[in-house]
Amino acid sequence: MNWDVTPGAVALFLTTGLSLFLAGIVWGRNLREAGGLFAAVMLAVAEWCLVAGLEAAAVPLASKLTWSKLEYVGNGATAALFLLFAARWSGRVAWLQDRRRWLTFLLPAAGIALATTNEHHYLMWTSFTPGAAGSNIVIYGHGLGYFLVVGAIYAYIVSACVLLALPPARPLPRPRHEARTILIAAVFPLSAGILYSIGIDPVPGLNLVPISFFFTTVVFFIGMGFFRVFDL
């Protein structure tokens, strides 16, 4: 397999390492289920960034498509786990006590299925156009399935943000700056995803979403260092 380790790929690999480090710190604090769910979110982010970095570095189109399909494991898991984390963090846990929690993963699983079988229906990607000369970027043409999957992912993330913004369902020993830190961190991938989906990119075809998690992890490290986020 041919590789071209571009600056974008390096940034994604760095973000992978930061996400794994953050997951390890939170997990090591021996927190309750909310902490474990947050660590799981960061592990999913790490998978997403790692695979996106491999897609950015791969040269053959077939290899890029393979890595692009695997990205849907990470982005779907990130959205579903973030929603579960927000529900647990906010104290709205009644619907998490039984098998219904696993229904949260149905829509992300559908996205994975559509991506892996794209050659049979082209609902996710309709075309693959080389980017600017020397950029090693492929511009993906998106089909209806892509927008449905991305819409579902955004519905999950926005729902999670609403849960975090609302007052907790019951008194919890968590200062509100924790919620503010998490919401600020979520702004970066949300904004990047909107810009990518509507075709506004500094570099045509460059998916800013996984790269934006670099800033997300930085916000979390600042919050943990200065505001003791996740200490309680």
Side-chain angles (χ1 to χ4, degrees):
M1 183 184 295
N2 295 325
W3 300 95
D4 181 11
V5 183
T6 61
V10 172
L12 287 164
F13 295 144
L14 174 61
T15 306
T16 301
L18 290 174
S19 301
L20 289 172
F21 185 48
L22 182 57
I25 290 176
V26 175
W27 186 267
R29 293 187 178 188
N30 217 8
L31 300 174
R32 293 178 180 271
E33 186 175 352
L37 285 170
F38 180 81
V41 170
M42 297 314 301
L43 288 175
V45 168
E47 190 277 345
W48 186 356
C49 292
L50 174 62
V51 174
L54 293 170
E55 189 278 336
V59 175
L61 177 59
S63 299
K64 284 186 172 295
L65 288 177
T66 297
W67 298 122
S68 293
K69 293 175 180 180
L70 289 173
E71 282 188 56
Y72 280 85
V73 176
N75 63 29
T78 297
L81 289 167
F82 186 49
L83 178 57
L84 293 175
F85 162 76
R88 173 63 65 181
W89 189 96
S90 65
R92 294 172 172 84
V93 295
W95 62 284
L96 297 177
Q97 302 304 317
D98 55 31
R99 295 178 182 178
R100 285 179 295 177
R101 73 167 67 187
W102 300 111
L103 296 178
T104 309
F105 292 91
L106 285 182
L107 288 177
I112 297 170
L114 283 175
T116 55
T117 60
N118 185 72
E119 292 81 2
H120 302 288
H121 46 70
Y122 294 97
L123 290 173
M124 291 294 287
W125 302 299
T126 58
S127 62
F128 311 96
T129 306
S135 67
N136 191 31
I137 290 177
V138 170
I139 301 173
Y140 293 79
H142 296 125
L144 177 61
Y146 168 84
F147 292 103
L148 292 176
V149 170
V150 170
I153 288 174
Y154 272 83
Y156 277 35
I157 295 175
V158 170
S159 298
C161 290
V162 170
L163 291 175
L164 293 169
L166 291 173
R170 64 177 187 272
L172 295 172
R174 297 191 175 104
R176 292 305 296 166
H177 62 244
E178 278 198 358
R180 287 193 291 269
T181 300
I182 298 168
L183 289 171
I184 292 170
V187 165
F188 295 101
L190 278 171
S191 302
I194 291 171
L195 292 175
Y196 178 72
S197 295
I198 64 179
I200 300 178
D201 294 309
V203 178
L206 179 64
N207 188 350
L208 294 175
V209 180
I211 295 176
S212 72
F213 280 110
F214 172 82
F215 302 100
T216 295
T217 57
V218 169
V219 169
F220 280 128
F221 279 118
I222 292 174
M224 293 170 69
F226 289 93
F227 304 112
R228 298 181 62 227
V229 172
F230 301 128
D231 274 4
L232 295 175

